[in-house]
Amino acid sequence: MERVIILKNTDKNQALTLPVTPSSYPMAAGRAVERLDMAQTGQVALPGLKSLFTGTLEFELPAQTYPFMTAGAAAEPQRYIEQLTGWSRDANVCRYIVTGTGINIPVLLGALDYGEQDGTNDVYCKLPLYEYRFLDEAKVEKVTQNAGRPVETPPQTAGSYTVVKGDSLWAICKRFYGDGSLAYKLATANGIKNPNLIYPGQVLTLPDKGALTGYAATPAPASPGRVQSGGTAKTASGPVETGSAQSAADAMARGAVAAARAAIGLK
C-alpha cells in the first residue's frame, strides 16, 4: 500500500496531499515525565501532564514530474507553498494524517521554511507541526458555594473520653457523634444510671455510632442527682448546680445526732 501524508484544513474543508511521500514522518504521543532532584535521594521521575506532539515535517515539492510522485500530484511548488503559508498565517486547524497508520490528529502549522538546493527548481520544505487541543476537551473543575446552611459532618469517634468540668453527656455526643440526643444511649453504654450525672475525671467509652444507636436509652430521673467530690451535676443538655455530696453527708449526720439526743431526753 502506498503511504501518503495529508494535511486537511478543517476550517476551510480543504485537503492537501504531499506530492512526494517523505522517507520518514514525525510523531510522538504519551505523557510527559518530570525529573526532580531530591536531597539525600537523588533524581526521581514523576508522571507529568499529557504531552502535546510537536515535530517538523520535511518534504519535497517537485518542479517537474517524477515517477515517484503521488497520484494526482502537480509539479507546481508555488501552489503548495501559497496554500501552506496561507493556512499557517490564518491559524487554521488542520488534521495531520498519515495513511496506513493511526495518525490523525489536529495540528497548527508553523512558519514554512523552504528553498532550492540542487538547481532543479525542486523546493525542499520544513513545516513545524503543533498538536492542537480543542478547548472543549479540557476538563474544568467547577467550584460552587453552598449559600445555605453548611452541613455538619460528625467527627470520628475517639474510642474513649475523659470528662472535664463543664461537660454534659449531650455536649459530648454532639461533639463526637453530631447528635446530642444520643446522650441517653451513651449513658446505657457506660452503665450510667442517671444521664444527668457525670463528673470530672470519669472515663467514658465511646462506641461506634452505628453500634451506639442499637443501645436502649437510659431515661433521666425526675430530679437531678448530686456529684461526688464537690463537682457539678449535669443534665443531658447542660450543667445543673447542686450542693456537694460531703454537705449532704454532714446534714444527715447532724440529723442522726439530734434524733439520738431526743431519745434520751437531751436537748
Side-chain angles (χ1 to χ4, degrees):
M1 176 181 177
E2 182 183 4
R3 195 181 308 283
V4 297
I5 296 180
I6 303 170
L7 295 172
K8 183 177 180 180
N9 189 323
T10 58
D11 294 335
K12 297 181 177 179
N13 196 26
Q14 298 174 345
L16 182 152
T17 301
L18 295 186
V20 177
T21 301
S23 58
S24 63
Y25 55 85
M27 188 58 207
R31 184 177 295 276
V33 175
E34 300 291 339
R35 301 184 65 180
L36 303 177
D37 292 326
M38 300 184 66
Q40 309 301 324
T41 301
Q43 284 193 336
V44 296
L46 300 174
L49 300 175
K50 177 183 176 182
S51 62
L52 294 178
F53 159 71
T54 301
T56 300
L57 184 61
E58 299 186 21
F59 54 93
E60 178 185 357
L61 299 177
Q64 52 191 310
T65 303
Y66 295 109
F68 50 80
M69 293 173 62
T70 57
E76 302 177 21
Q78 192 59 34
R79 192 184 82 178
Y80 292 99
I81 292 171
E82 290 176 358
Q83 194 167 22
L84 291 172
T85 55
W87 292 356
S88 174
R89 182 177 55 253
D90 296 339
N92 294 141
V93 178
C94 300
R95 304 293 303 192
Y96 170 44
I97 303 169
V98 180
T99 62
T101 71
I103 300 175
N104 186 340
I105 62 171
V107 295
L108 294 175
L109 308 183
L112 180 65
D113 183 7
Y114 62 94
E116 298 181 12
Q117 296 180 359
D118 49 16
T120 61
N121 295 328
D122 295 340
V123 177
Y124 297 87
C125 304
K126 294 181 180 180
L127 179 63
L129 304 177
Y130 302 91
E131 183 177 356
Y132 181 79
R133 180 174 294 171
F134 294 96
L135 294 180
D136 58 358
E137 294 179 359
K139 294 181 179 179
V140 180
E141 289 188 13
K142 295 182 179 180
V143 180
T144 58
Q145 291 184 339
N146 185 359
R149 183 177 179 178
V151 177
E152 295 183 1
T153 302
Q156 295 294 324
T157 302
S160 65
Y161 175 73
T162 302
V163 177
V164 297
K165 185 176 180 181
D167 273 339
S168 68
L169 286 182
W170 186 285
I172 292 171
C173 288
K174 181 68 174 177
R175 175 180 175 184
F176 288 99
Y177 299 109
D179 184 356
S181 66
L182 292 174
Y184 306 100
K185 295 191 175 186
L186 184 62
T188 303
N190 285 272
I192 298 175
K193 297 181 179 180
N194 184 353
N196 294 333
L197 181 60
I198 58 175
Y199 55 88
Q202 183 177 2
V203 179
L204 302 178
T205 298
L206 302 180
D208 178 81
K209 185 175 181 180
L212 183 62
T213 55
Y215 282 86
T218 297
S223 59
R226 297 179 181 276
V227 297
Q228 299 177 356
S229 303
T232 301
K234 313 291 179 185
T235 65
S237 59
V240 175
E241 297 297 330
T242 66
S244 68
Q246 185 63 47
S247 297
D250 292 344
M252 293 176 63
R254 287 194 298 271
V257 171
R261 292 171 64 87
I264 62 176
L266 296 176
K267 296 182 180 180

